[in-house]
Each structure stands twice: as C-alpha cells, then as structure tokens.
Amino acid sequence: MKHFLLFLLPLLTIVVGGFVVFGLVQTNAQEKRLTEELTRKAKAVAESMELSAQQILINHNMIWANVMVQGFQNRERVQGCVLYDDHLKILAITDRISDWKKKGRAHLAPSYFTEKGHGSFGELGNSPVYSYVQPVMGENGSYLGYIEVLYDTSYIRTMVGEFWQKTSIYLIILSVLLVFTTLLLQRQIFFQPIRQLTRWFSLFQKGDIDTLQPIRKGGIFGQLATEAEQVALNLRIARKIVIENATERIAGTELWTREKLRDLVQAKLGENTLIVVSNREPYMHVTDAKTGLVKCIRPASGVVTAIDPILRACGGTWIAHGSTPEDRTVVNSRDKIGVPVEDIRYILKRVWLTEEEEEGYYFGFSNEGLWPLCHITYQRPVFKEKDWLMYKQANQKFADSVLEELPSKNPYVFIQDYHFTLIAGMIKNKRPDAVCVLFWHIPWPNSEVFSTCPYQEEILDGMLSYDLIGFHVQSHCNNFLETANRLLESRVDPEKFSVTRFGRETIVKPFPISVDGYFGNPDDLPADFHDQVAKIRLELGLANMIVALGVERIDYTKGLLERMLAVDRFLEKYPQYKGKFVLVQLAAPSRTHIKIYNELMEQLDERIEKVNAKHAEGSWKPIIYMKRQFSPEEIRPYYTLSQYCIVSSLHDGMNLVAKEYVASRSDLNGMLILSKFTGAARELTDAVLINPYSIEEFADAIKYAIEMPRDERRRRMGNMRNIVKEFNIYRWAGNIITEMANLKKG
Ligand code: ADQ
C-alpha cells in the first residue's frame, strides 16, 4: 500500500492541481464574457429606451411612464426598469423591483455628473443585479431625467457553479482511471515480477527445488531473473560437489574434528541447514557499564559452551530468547543477526517474550519447577498453574518461530533442554514431516520423583512427540523409559531403547556431551597468553601457592557451599597447608530473579567471609572469590595456573567445567577433584572422585590430590585427556546428527 501511494500521490497531485488551475482560468474567462455580454445588452436596452423616455418626461405622461416600466415585468432575466426625473425622483418603477426604491442614489451619481450612461453591480434583496443608468437629455441639452435598467446576474454564478460541478465529475472519473491504471501498471511492471522473484527465492532458500517454476524472462526484471537463476544453479552444483566430497572425507578420518563434523552435516543434511533451539542465546548484547556502548557477550551456560562450536563449524540457524533490551537494537527485520559478530559463522534468530512470559515460563515453570524436580538436591520444586500456562505459551511462540524457518523438505530441528518439552508436538501439528530431536542437558529423575509434577502427562506426551531424546548417561535414559512406562499408556522396547505411544515411536539414547578440542590445543592460544597467566598470578598473589580452581554459575546444584565447608575442614585438619593453599572461585550470578538464588549468593558471601576470617594469616587468605561473568578467553588462563580443579556438584547432568579443565592441561600437570554425582564422573574415572555431601571425605580428597605422586597424576590426567579428546563435542554432535538423519521421513 505504501509503495502504491508513493506512486499515486504525485500523479494525483499533478492531475488535481492541473484541473484546479484550468478550472479557475476557464471560469474567469466565462464570467468575464457573460458580464461583458450583459453590460453591452443593458446599455443597448437603456439607450433604445431613451427616446420614449424623453417624450414621456417632456409630456409628464405618467400613464405611458408606467406602461413603459411595466413592459419589463414579464421579461426573462430582466428584473425591471426605473424612470427618474431630473432630481432623481422615481417617477415609475417595474413592480417586481419595487424594493429597489429603498436603495440610495449613489449608483446614479456618475451619470448625474458626467451626462453619460454608467453601469454598476449591486444587490436586490439577496439577488445580484447589474444596473445601467442612461441620462435622458432634452433638445437643449438640459437633463430631463434618467432611465435605469436592472438585470439579474445570478445566472452567471449558476453557470459558473455548473461548470465546476461538471469539472469535478470529470476529475473524479479521471482520478479513478488514474488509480486503476497505476495499480495495473505497478502490478504488471513491478509487483508481479518482484513477487514471482521473491517466491522463487523463498522456495529455493527452503530447498523446494521441484516446485520451482522458471522465472519469466520478459520485462525489466528479465535480466535480473536470468542472473538469479544462474547464481542458484551454480549454488546447487557447488552444494552437490561439497556433499559428495564431504561424504568421501568422513569415511576417511578417525578423530572427530570441526572439519569432520562440517563434512558430516553436509553429507547427512544435504541441502538443509541445522536449526537449533534453546532458551539461552549464545550471544547477548548488553551495555558496557564503563563505555556506555553496546557490546556482545557470551553467557555462562553449559548449553552455549556445547552448541556454539557445532554451529560455528557447520553453520545453520540458532533460535533463542532475546533476553536484553539491547538485543532488539541489533537484529534485522526478521529478528536475525549473524554471529559471532566479529567472524560471522551462523545465524542467531531471537524470539521475544513478554515480561509475564519470561517470569512464568523461564524463572517459574522451568527453573523453580523442572530444574529442582530433575536434580536431586532436596530443593523442593514449585509448580504454579499460571507458570505452566506461560510455559505452554512460550513453547508455542518458539514453535511458531521454528515453523517460519523450516525448509520445504526434510526439516531437522535440534532442540535443547527442559524449557521445550512441548514444542515438537506444536511443530508437528503443522509439519508432521519435521524430524525433532531433544537433548536433555540435566538429569532425569526416577518415576516416583517425576510423578510429583502435576503436569506429568502433558509433559511426557509432549516429549513423546520427539523422534529422538538424548540424555547424557544411560541411567537418565533408563529413568525416562521407566517413567514413560509407569506413568503413561505406552510401550517401551528395551532392545531398541524406544517408547511407542499412539503408534509414534521415540528413541531414547545416551550421548555424553563434551567440549571443543580448543581447550587442549596450545596452538590456539593468543600470543600473550603466558603474560596473562603471569599477570593474574602476580595480581592474586599466587606465586608458590597450591592453587585449586572452581568455575561455576552460582547455582545450588553446584555444591558451592559444601566446597567452602570442605576447604575450611581441610585447613582445620591439615593446617600445614595454611598459607600455601588457595581456592580461586570464579562464579557467575545466575537466575537472580529467583529468591532462592539470591539467598544462595548471600549465604555464599557469608560462608566465604567466615572461612577467610577463620584461617587468614597476614596477606594470605584461603579463598579468592571473583563473582562475575567471564568470557571463555578470560577463564582459560585460570585453568592453566591452577594445579587442581574442584567440581563438587550435588547433581549435574554432565558438567563441562570438568572436561574443559582436563582438555586445557596439555602439560598433564593437574588433577581434577570431581563429584560422583556428575555425568562427567562416569567417563573421567581417573579423577579424584568425591561425595560432596561428606565434608570429611571431601577435605581428605583435597589432601589426597595435592599429595598424589607426580607420575600417577600425569598418568591419570593423560587418560582423562585421551577420553575428552576422543569423545569431544564434535563426536557428540556427529552421533546425534547421524541418528537424526536416519530418522528422515519420506
Ligand atoms: P551448566 O549447569 O551451565 O550446564 P556446565 O556444564 O558446568 O554447567 O557448564 C558451564 C559453562 O559455563 C562452562 O563452559 C563454563 O566455562 C562456563 N562458566 C561457568 N562459570 C562461568 C563464569 N563465572 N563466567 C563465565 N562462564 C562461566 C548444563 C547442565 C550440565 C551440562 C551442560 C551441558 O547443568 O550438567 O553439562 O548443561 O549439557
């Protein structure tokens, strides 16, 4: 409409303007012509009456005077006639203009003084009139009187009015024709070809090659269409070659790398790209408190740590919640932005939630309900009906956003975590051909625990709309199968590890997540990396210290309070380490809208203060607490400078910090103290495993790790590094994508 008006308005303005100017000129000319005609006629009539008037005035014959003036009574248009004596006294007047008597005599003055006829305009009642006054002279040149004829001029206005009426009708007809013609021309010349091109590109983009109609080559867009088709053809050929080469390459390499994953995605997903959905966005825009400028940061999140390298390697679209006001300012009209901004590798599409949705779906149902339900930390889950409604609403919003992105054929959607139990069903309502895979990043509880959830059936039903569900470890898969078996009418196949409900099968498999090999590769380090390490050591006074490291989001599942108690107990039990041992704790505030997370932050501050106060000696204190968000590049030097890393989660799906630490110790000089209740403990069995609830055992484990002989430490670290190297994030993604591609429908 806007474009149409842009075309039409200037045209209409020119046409209407032209008509108005033309009309004004025309009416002026017509008015002038009619007026001149009238004055000429009035003069001629008055002059023709002069002789009769002379006789009447000489003879004072009032009877004839009356006969003369009443002769006008029945004439068309003429209003009447007045006969004056030489003192301007009315002697006779046509009846129908008798009101004229009331008018003054000023209009007679020119004739009175100049002895010549004179015309002027005036009004009789409400009618416009023209009066022509002719002096009547005697033979000796003396004044005998005056004869005045009066004409009605209203017909001139009527004729001008009629002219404008006709002109307006022509104008309306012309405008309608103009609008119609403009519309038609626009449609034919611009919109139709552009629409055709847009549709063609959209089908091409969605991979719907079979339904592509050849673009019409005629018209001004013909050239463009030809070029577009040529580019598309080249692209298809290039893609085909890439897929063939990729298929050959994956058969040849052993270790999973980002290149191998890229090849696999190309070989398995063909023309389509990967669509990933998560709540947390991989890159968020915030205002830098120091500079006031908008900057892009990577949030502290295991999901982001895991998925970002995959999309960096193979491209695609990541749909996530745009969580800051600044996020809105940098996206395009389709809420998309290329990321990482400094080296674009894939598309981030942001979904906007209302405050109410975010509160209910994210903070409420997801993090006060499902998160504590799935983690055995004895934190009671809270389920509220209004949070559940918001959860469903937000799932629908994400599903709608996914639907906009799906290619026409073989769509694959890879969805992350407990925030989206329902969206596979919502997507499949419209696109039953979509392959939907869910990866559950946190543990799955046993059926008894899960049955406390009031919305258990809808959640399980939603999850069984997925084609594949991945958990970190087999025991979580087993818990899920048992839950589905007990709480729903469904058939579990223990051989295939699948659940069938209403004839639809969902495969349930373990895929232990991991990290990018980046952490283990010294070649990837920045040139000043060792200066950074030295600087931190100096600033924190870590020279000659035994340094243990903790890296977490502040979350009650991470066992942070227990860790501080263990450090306290360790120093109590083994005071020889006072002044020699330091725990550097990096901690990112998380879910700060939730009361219990705020309380935890306060408790942690308090406990750290107490332990430090209790054991501090001189400038030494046992815990250095750094409460903020760090970038992955900032965390890396801390992994290098710490001989020990402590992961004391009370319950954790996997725990990527443990794997990041192991991957980063290319010098084999380090040891991991790891909670038994993490998924990582199933793979990293060479770590010093602890039960974080047992503070005695935990304290002893710290001593044990510190005093472990160098060779044993190197051997154990070597074993763990081999596991992380082999079972890296690319292998994880490769396995899921292979499984996903096997589920292709049709
Ligand atoms: P998370 O609970 O977020 O992940 P985790 O696996 O340890 O936990 O990953 C945390 C990530 O955030 C790591 O990459 C770490 O480097 C980073 N991080 C931690 N503290 C940070 C800080 N202060 N500043 C910046 N970054 C920080 C969830 C599940 C886990 C599962 C992962 C992946 O809870 O069990 O391992 O998903 O599936």
Side-chain angles (χ1 to χ4, degrees):
M1 188 63 190
K2 211 170 111 192
H3 293 115
F4 172 66
L5 285 180
L6 218 66
F7 255 86
L8 187 71
L9 278 181
L11 275 178
L12 267 184
T13 314
I14 292 170
V15 170
V16 172
F19 255 86
V20 170
V21 171
F22 165 79
L24 281 175
V25 170
Q26 278 296 305
T27 45
N28 266 347
Q30 198 182 12
E31 211 174 332
K32 202 170 157 208
R33 187 178 56 75
L34 288 170
T35 311
E36 274 173 11
E37 209 176 273
L38 181 73
T39 50
R40 231 182 302 116
K41 201 167 155 189
K43 188 169 181 250
V45 170
E47 281 174 359
S48 71
M49 290 169 69
E50 190 184 352
L51 200 60
S52 319
Q54 200 180 39
Q55 290 310 313
I56 291 167
L57 289 169
I58 290 172
N59 298 322
H60 293 287
N61 190 339
M62 288 306 115
I63 296 169
W64 276 108
N66 260 323
V67 170
M68 184 179 77
V69 295
Q70 296 312 338
F72 285 84
Q73 179 73 12
N74 299 322
R75 287 201 201 170
E76 190 198 352
R77 275 201 203 142
V78 177
Q79 289 285 334
C81 172
V82 191
L83 185 65
Y84 300 91
D85 66 8
D86 56 342
H87 298 296
L88 302 179
K89 187 179 157 219
I90 292 176
L91 298 176
I93 184 165
T94 315
D95 284 349
R96 67 175 169 192
I97 60 163
S98 58
D99 282 352
W100 194 246
K101 283 183 203 163
K102 295 174 200 156
K103 186 156 166 73
R105 300 289 186 263
H107 67 291
L108 302 172
S111 305
Y112 186 77
F113 292 115
T114 61
E115 302 175 6
K116 286 186 183 146
H118 176 77
S120 63
F121 289 93
E123 288 212 343
L124 175 60
N126 290 326
S127 305
V129 289
Y130 178 74
S131 120
Y132 190 84
V133 180
Q134 175 67 35
V136 182
M137 311 298 287
E139 275 167 10
N140 55 1
S142 62
Y143 281 106
L144 292 176
Y146 301 86
I147 179 99
E148 179 181 22
V149 287
L150 219 57
Y151 278 82
D152 174 10
T153 60
S154 60
Y155 75 96
I156 296 178
R157 274 192 203 166
T158 313
M159 281 173 85
V160 169
E162 277 168 5
F163 171 80
W164 274 117
Q165 227 172 29
K166 272 188 205 155
T167 307
S168 307
I169 291 169
Y170 291 146
L171 187 64
I172 290 168
I173 294 172
L174 198 77
S175 301
V176 171
L177 281 174
L178 201 71
V179 170
F180 187 70
T181 321
T182 313
L183 256 175
L184 205 74
L185 284 177
Q186 257 198 347
R187 214 177 118 81
Q188 284 304 112
I189 299 176
F190 297 105
F191 291 148
Q192 240 178 15
I194 288 178
R195 211 171 286 146
Q196 201 195 5
L197 263 178
T198 312
R199 193 177 131 69
W200 191 91
F201 272 113
S202 154
L203 287 173
F204 180 76
Q205 159 84 358
K206 294 194 165 200
D208 205 350
I209 310 287
D210 300 342
T211 43
L212 281 183
Q213 299 284 331
I215 311 176
R216 259 194 296 160
K217 300 294 187 302
I220 55 171
F221 288 98
Q223 184 78 22
L224 177 62
T226 314
E227 293 301 324
E229 266 184 337
Q230 196 54 41
V231 170
L233 182 68
N234 291 341
L235 250 168
R236 283 183 66 193
I237 294 170
R239 270 194 200 168
K240 197 157 181 277
I241 294 171
V242 164
I243 292 169
E244 279 169 12
N245 290 346
T247 315
E248 272 170 33
R249 278 196 305 265
I250 46 174
T253 46
E254 286 294 308
L255 201 68
W256 278 88
T257 57
R258 63 183 74 138
E259 290 74 25
K260 183 169 173 176
L261 177 67
R262 190 180 305 142
D263 286 344
L264 177 105
V265 169
Q266 279 160 354
K268 297 284 178 191
L269 304 192
E271 305 256 334
N272 291 344
T273 56
L274 196 60
I275 296 175
V276 169
V277 184
S278 77
N279 172 74
R280 174 66 65 228
E281 51 182 341
Y283 296 91
M284 61 205 277
H285 284 82
V286 292
T287 303
D288 188 316
K290 278 188 206 143
T291 62
L293 298 174
V294 171
K295 63 174 184 182
C296 184
I297 60 164
R298 221 184 84 166
S301 149
V303 175
V304 170
T305 303
I307 310 293
D308 180 59
I310 300 169
L311 282 202
R312 276 186 191 232
C314 46
T317 302
W318 186 330
I319 300 172
H321 172 213
S323 51
T324 69
E326 292 85 344
D327 277 347
R328 288 180 188 263
T329 62
V330 293
V331 292
N332 68 13
S333 58
R334 296 193 166 192
D335 302 321
K336 291 179 182 176
I337 178 175
V339 288
V341 275
E342 67 288 351
D343 175 26
I344 293 175
R345 294 295 164 136
Y346 62 92
I347 294 165
L348 167 63
K349 182 184 185 194
R350 288 174 170 150
V351 173
W352 315 114
L353 298 177
T354 62
E355 230 173 85
E356 200 190 5
E357 281 167 347
E358 193 182 357
E359 194 60 44
Y361 137 81
Y362 178 69
F363 292 110
F365 196 77
S366 298
N367 287 320
E368 287 186 301
L370 292 178
W371 177 267
L373 180 77
C374 293
H375 288 91
I376 310 170
T377 55
Y378 308 101
Q379 182 61 47
R380 199 177 158 162
V382 178
F383 294 109
K384 293 183 199 147
E385 179 66 14
K386 81 172 188 313
D387 289 351
W388 169 241
L389 292 178
M390 286 299 125
Y391 181 86
K392 288 201 277 191
Q393 192 166 308
N395 268 243
Q396 187 61 60
K397 235 184 201 180
F398 275 90
D400 292 343
S401 181
V402 170
L403 283 164
E404 285 170 5
E405 301 306 316
L406 292 189
S408 311
K409 273 192 191 160
N410 307 327
Y412 298 101
V413 194
F414 185 22
I415 295 153
Q416 312 303 315
D417 240 352
Y418 56 100
H419 311 91
F420 301 117
T421 55
L422 308 177
I423 85 172
M426 293 165 171
I427 292 171
K428 287 184 178 186
N429 278 343
K430 300 227 167 98
R431 290 293 302 270
D433 60 325
V435 173
C436 295
V437 174
L438 173 68
F439 190 79
W440 194 264
H441 289 259
I442 60 176
W444 185 271
N446 65 36
S447 63
E448 234 170 299
V449 171
F450 190 76
S451 69
T452 60
C453 174
Y455 310 100
Q456 52 191 280
E457 198 167 326
E458 277 158 285
I459 289 179
L460 286 174
D461 251 337
M463 290 179 78
L464 293 179
S465 298
Y466 280 93
D467 301 281
L468 170 67
I469 302 177
F471 291 97
H472 288 299
V473 294
Q474 186 64 55
S475 66
H476 300 157
C477 297
N478 296 349
N479 280 352
F480 181 79
L481 292 174
E482 185 225 10
T483 308
N485 196 29
R486 288 216 180 161
L487 305 183
L488 279 188
E489 281 284 319
S490 61
R491 187 166 46 81
V492 171
D493 183 337
E495 300 291 311
K496 268 177 91 182
F497 280 102
S498 71
V499 190
T500 304
R501 177 157 161 90
F502 302 134
R504 192 163 50 203
E505 188 179 38
T506 303
I507 312 272
V508 180
K509 275 197 168 179
F511 298 93
I513 208 164
S514 194
V515 291
D516 184 358
Y518 161 81
F519 277 96
N521 188 358
D523 297 344
D524 286 341
L525 297 177
D528 67 341
F529 181 74
H530 293 290
D531 296 340
Q532 288 177 31
V533 175
K535 190 168 168 240
I536 297 172
R537 240 190 218 128
L538 187 73
E539 277 174 6
L540 301 184
L542 300 177
N544 304 320
M545 287 286 162
I546 300 165
V547 183
L549 177 70
V551 183
E552 265 89 17
R553 286 185 302 104
I554 303 179
D555 193 299
Y556 53 84
T557 60
K558 300 293 179 187
L560 285 158
L561 292 173
E562 289 72 7
R563 188 177 309 169
M564 304 312 157
L565 285 179
V567 169
D568 181 19
R569 185 69 190 123
F570 164 69
L571 292 172
E572 253 175 21
K573 263 178 120 172
Y574 310 108
Q576 66 271 29
Y577 287 105
K578 282 196 174 192
K580 292 183 186 154
F581 171 89
V582 172
L583 167 68
V584 177
Q585 179 64 56
L586 314 185
S590 170
R591 303 172 192 170
T592 44
H593 272 53
I594 302 175
K595 193 164 158 245
I596 184 160
Y597 281 80
N598 272 312
E599 286 169 359
L600 173 68
M601 273 205 282
E602 279 170 26
Q603 286 167 10
L604 197 57
D605 288 348
E606 232 172 75
R607 189 155 303 172
I608 291 171
E609 237 177 74
K610 261 193 197 159
V611 176
N612 276 342
K614 182 169 161 188
H615 298 284
E617 284 174 358
S619 62
W620 172 84
K621 57 179 182 178
I623 302 168
I624 297 175
Y625 184 36
M626 301 171 84
K627 188 164 61 171
R628 71 172 172 89
Q629 169 91 23
F630 289 78
S631 69
E633 293 71 30
E634 281 177 314
I635 294 178
R636 179 67 215 263
Y638 287 91
Y639 282 138
T640 298
L641 62 79
S642 315
Q643 294 96 319
Y644 305 95
C645 177
I646 306 181
V647 172
S648 53
S649 310
L650 303 180
H651 201 191
D652 214 333
M654 176 53 71
N655 194 287
L656 293 181
V657 172
K659 291 191 172 180
E660 283 172 359
Y661 179 69
V662 167
S664 73
R665 300 311 307 206
S666 51
D667 57 359
L668 305 186
N669 183 22
M671 185 40 63
L672 174 66
I673 300 168
L674 178 63
S675 162
K676 285 175 192 169
F677 307 126
T678 60
R682 320 276 165 123
E683 293 172 90
L684 305 178
T685 47
D686 275 300
V688 176
L689 296 178
I690 54 160
N691 169 5
Y693 288 96
S694 164
I695 303 302
E696 278 313 300
E697 184 191 316
F698 196 164
D700 289 344
I702 297 175
K703 179 170 179 282
Y704 177 73
I706 292 174
E707 293 175 0
M708 185 180 287
R710 184 171 177 271
D711 284 352
E712 185 184 345
R713 204 167 58 207
R714 289 179 67 80
R715 181 184 55 77
R716 286 187 175 204
M717 185 52 90
N719 290 344
M720 290 194 282
R721 278 180 57 74
N722 285 342
I723 287 171
V724 174
K725 213 159 132 193
E726 190 174 344
F727 297 93
N728 60 28
I729 188 66
Y730 303 114
R731 184 182 182 127
W732 175 84
N735 287 340
I736 294 186
I737 290 164
T738 306
E739 198 79 40
M740 184 193 273
N742 291 343
L743 295 165
K744 185 168 117 180
K745 296 163 190 176

